[in-house]
């Protein structure tokens, strides 16, 4: 079965500090992994993706994520948080195998990031 | 590029009426679109997968006669909530796969906030 886990409902950090939003996954075959951000009453915005290649992926707004196959994790990171980074973050996985499930995204339940001044 | 426009952004309707939500890919052709529903502080729940020119594939537990999906062209999919009831009040989000195939991220509309009174 395909699944994504975001173990933290809430992450709070001070502005200027590094942040990490955790994600682990379970999927058939090699995973395609994505991070999205959602601001209130808005759709999701794509941040970054891992398909293949370097385990460290760089994305929008200074975010990056590290793919760790042995730990089946894809944690989102940023070296220095901004107040404007405060939003809801979703990790998602798309299986590369699986017949009818091919193409669809499976989302984690989201992590609310709050960066205080 | 890869903009998805969703309309309306907010709608209030009376119980028993029907509401149509439009999702358009503005600068690319979307053979597949996805409709999600999001409850407050919760993740996205996939409702159905919409393929151009064919019937939508509904997820288990989603009433296809209540949530009518039409994907008549490569740039437009519509979701009609028929005979709406207060429990249908939610945030509905559409998304579309770009032309890069399974490597490409989903692009999301900004969502529709439906309130049924």
């Amino acid at each position: 079965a395909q699944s994504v886990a975001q173990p933290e409902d809430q992450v709070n950090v001070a502005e200027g500090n590094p942040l990490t939003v955790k994600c682990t996954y379970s999927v058939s075959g090699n995973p395609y992994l994505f991070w999205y951000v959602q601001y209130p009453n808005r759709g999701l915005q794509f941040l970054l993706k891992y398909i293949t290649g370097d385990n460290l992926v760089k994305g929008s707004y200074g975010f990056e994520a590290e793919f760790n196959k042995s730990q089946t994790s894809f944690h989102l990171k940023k070296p220095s948080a901004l107040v404007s980074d405060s939003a809801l973050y979703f990790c998602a996985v798309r299986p590369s195998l699986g017949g009818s499930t091919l193409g669809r995204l499976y989302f984690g339940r989201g992590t609310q990031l709050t960066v205080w001044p | 590029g890869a903009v998805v426009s969703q309309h309306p952004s907010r709608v209030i309707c009376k119980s028993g009426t029907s509401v149509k939500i439009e999702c358009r890919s503005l600068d690319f052709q979307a053979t597949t679109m996805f409709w999600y529903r999001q409850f407050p502080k919760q993740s996205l729940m996939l409702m159905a997968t919409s393929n151009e020119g064919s019937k939508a594939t509904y997820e288990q537990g989603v009433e296809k006669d209540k949530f009518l999906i039409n994907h008549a062209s490569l740039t437009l999919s519509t979701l009609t909530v028929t005979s709406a009831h207060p429990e249908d009040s939610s945030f509905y989000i559409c998304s579309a796969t770009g032309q890069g195939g399974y490597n490409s991220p989903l692009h999301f509309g900004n969502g529709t906030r439906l309130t049924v009174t």
Side-chain angles (χ1 to χ4, degrees):
Chain A
Q2 337 290 348
S3 66
V4 177
Q6 291 180 243
E8 302 157 315
D9 290 337
Q10 184 100 20
V11 169
N12 299 310
V13 298
E15 188 172 34
N17 283 1
L19 69 87
T20 299
V21 183
K22 295 180 180 178
C23 172
T24 59
Y25 65 90
S26 174
V27 69
S28 305
N30 294 318
Y32 298 154
L33 295 157
F34 303 84
W35 274 100
Y36 289 86
V37 59
Q38 184 182 32
Y39 296 97
N41 293 308
R42 300 295 294 271
L44 276 66
Q45 295 180 31
F46 168 72
L47 278 180
L48 52 81
K49 67 178 179 180
Y50 172 83
I51 303 300
T52 187
D54 291 340
N55 289 341
L56 185 64
V57 178
K58 295 188 182 297
S60 306
Y61 313 120
F63 283 93
E64 58 189 28
E66 186 168 11
F67 171 64
N68 187 316
K69 187 173 184 177
S70 63
Q71 297 184 4
T72 60
S73 67
F74 190 56
H75 302 329
L76 181 70
K77 300 181 179 183
K78 187 172 182 179
S80 179
L82 299 172
V83 173
S84 57
D85 292 331
S86 299
L88 187 59
Y89 290 80
F90 289 99
C91 180
V93 65
R94 175 184 283 158
S96 57
L97 299 173
S100 62
T101 63
L102 196 61
R104 63 169 289 182
L105 279 183
Y106 294 82
F107 285 90
R109 62 181 184 178
T111 299
Q112 180 66 48
L113 172 67
T114 301
V115 182
W116 71 82
Chain B
V3 176
V4 175
S5 174
Q6 187 172 342
H7 179 80
S9 59
R10 188 179 295 268
V11 59
I12 301 173
C13 70
K14 292 187 177 181
S15 186
T17 61
S18 295
V19 173
K20 179 183 284 189
I21 302 169
E22 291 188 350
C23 181
R24 294 180 185 272
S25 57
L26 296 186
D27 52 0
F28 67 101
Q29 293 183 333
T31 54
T32 302
M33 289 186 173
F34 301 88
W35 287 95
Y36 292 87
R37 181 173 180 177
Q38 186 179 30
F39 295 97
K41 298 184 178 181
Q42 291 191 27
S43 188
L44 285 74
M45 181 192 77
L46 180 65
M47 299 174 66
T49 302
S50 169
N51 291 300
E52 187 266 338
S54 63
K55 291 183 179 181
T57 302
Y58 289 82
E59 294 298 302
Q60 191 173 8
V62 178
E63 298 176 61
K64 61 182 179 181
D65 294 330
K66 180 166 188 59
F67 298 101
L68 299 178
I69 292 173
N70 183 279
H71 194 158
S73 78
L74 285 171
T75 58
L76 174 63
S77 177
T78 60
L79 168 66
T80 301
V81 183
T82 62
S83 187
H85 288 96
E87 58 265 30
D88 298 325
S89 298
S90 192
F91 193 57
Y92 293 87
I93 310 175
C94 72
S95 67
T97 301
Q99 293 180 299
Y102 297 129
N103 285 348
S104 60
L106 284 184
H107 303 285
F108 287 82
N110 278 331
T112 297
R113 174 71 61 190
L114 171 63
T115 303
V116 184
T117 61

